[in-house]
Amino acid sequence: VLQQVKIHNLEAITLDKSLFSAKMLEGQQALLCGCGCGWTDSTRQMIRCLIKESKVPLVIDADGINVISEHPEWLLEKQCPIILTPHLGEFARLCPEMDDLETAIQTFAERYDVIMVVKGPNTIVYGDHRFYRNTTGNPGMATAGMGDALAGMISSFCGQGYEPLLAAQLGVYLHGLCGDQLYLDHYTVLPHRLIEKIPEMMKRLSNEKDIDWDNKSL
């Protein structure tokens, strides 16, 4: 599978998680884990290692979040900012006894000192004791792999030096904006088409909203 990814996507950097070690973290600017990993013992070992060893922003998605739902106390061992990106089903595993979504998000985020990105209609970002609701996005984006694309965008902004909370906000907004542009002409928005839209929409935002991507300022 990894070889097929390399053939069709030259930009992708792939890693066999069975070969994962703490030494591989050296020289990284940001890390993303959990996408497509499976809810397995090897994923548990990788997540535990990343939380304990990473010194750079860490985005945890998909099965990484499922692992955290079993061991949320691991988050207290972190040495870096952590962004969790659950959809509503994954968040329900993190907080199975929640009565109110916003209260549960705030309680979990502050207990474990993490940034939360809870995906759904008007995706919620919580960090620095504040809620942010996204205004972009549409029903056509409810397709497989869309959350992986978002996690990658947030990770990319972290790797470029954006503060983790701002990286989450920009990633969520830009992700939805690209999806909205595609939804004008397509009933279903596919992740690979959304990714192709990113440079165009970043350029449009820089022209319309005075966003300085290079200096990481709004």
Side-chain angles (χ1 to χ4, degrees):
V1 173
L2 295 183
Q3 188 59 38
Q4 292 175 340
V5 170
K6 292 177 182 178
I7 291 172
H8 294 287
N9 189 339
L10 300 179
E11 297 88 350
I13 299 173
T14 59
L15 172 67
D16 184 345
K17 67 178 180 178
S18 67
L19 304 177
F20 180 81
S21 69
K23 188 171 179 60
M24 293 177 180
L25 304 183
E26 296 177 4
Q28 307 304 315
Q29 286 77 47
L31 296 165
L32 165 62
C33 63
C35 302
C37 286
W39 197 348
T40 64
D41 285 340
S42 61
T43 300
R44 292 182 182 91
Q45 294 169 8
M46 180 180 68
I47 296 297
R48 183 74 185 276
C49 178
L50 284 171
I51 291 173
K52 292 180 69 174
E53 301 291 342
S54 178
K55 305 295 194 302
V56 298
L58 173 62
V59 180
I60 303 179
D61 189 38
D63 282 315
I65 293 170
N66 289 330
V67 168
I68 294 299
S69 71
E70 299 173 324
H71 299 285
E73 70 279 3
W74 289 355
L75 295 170
L76 298 175
E77 302 175 6
K78 67 183 182 303
Q79 304 182 65
C80 66
I82 289 181
I83 302 172
L84 300 181
T85 58
H87 56 57
L88 291 172
E90 291 162 343
F91 183 76
R93 297 188 191 103
L94 287 176
C95 300
E97 298 179 0
M98 68 173 175
D99 294 318
D100 174 75
L101 178 60
E102 288 196 357
T103 299
I105 291 171
Q106 181 176 12
T107 300
F108 189 93
E110 297 193 356
R111 178 180 297 164
Y112 298 106
D113 188 25
V114 296
I115 295 168
M116 297 294 299
V117 177
V118 182
K119 298 174 291 192
N122 300 117
T123 290
I124 297 172
V125 178
Y126 184 85
D128 196 22
H129 310 293
R130 293 186 64 182
F131 283 97
Y132 304 87
R133 280 191 176 272
N134 188 43
T135 58
T136 61
N138 58 78
M141 297 174 67
T143 55
M146 195 60 71
D148 297 339
L150 173 59
M153 293 170 71
I154 294 172
S155 304
S156 175
F157 281 126
C158 286
Q160 294 171 58
Y162 288 84
E163 290 297 321
L165 178 57
L166 181 57
Q169 294 168 325
L170 287 173
V172 168
Y173 182 78
L174 181 61
H175 179 261
L177 194 66
C178 292
D180 286 345
Q181 183 67 22
L182 289 166
Y183 195 52
L184 294 174
D185 299 309
H186 302 275
Y187 184 76
T188 301
V189 179
L190 299 178
H192 77 276
R193 294 189 182 278
L194 184 146
I195 292 168
E196 292 169 354
K197 275 284 179 186
I198 294 173
E200 174 190 338
M201 300 313 295
M202 287 181 70
K203 183 64 173 178
R204 184 176 299 183
L205 280 174
S206 66
N207 291 336
E208 294 178 358
K209 297 184 179 298
D210 295 324
I211 295 179
D212 187 341
W213 300 103
D214 293 329
N215 293 316
K216 302 160 186 66
S217 61
L218 302 180

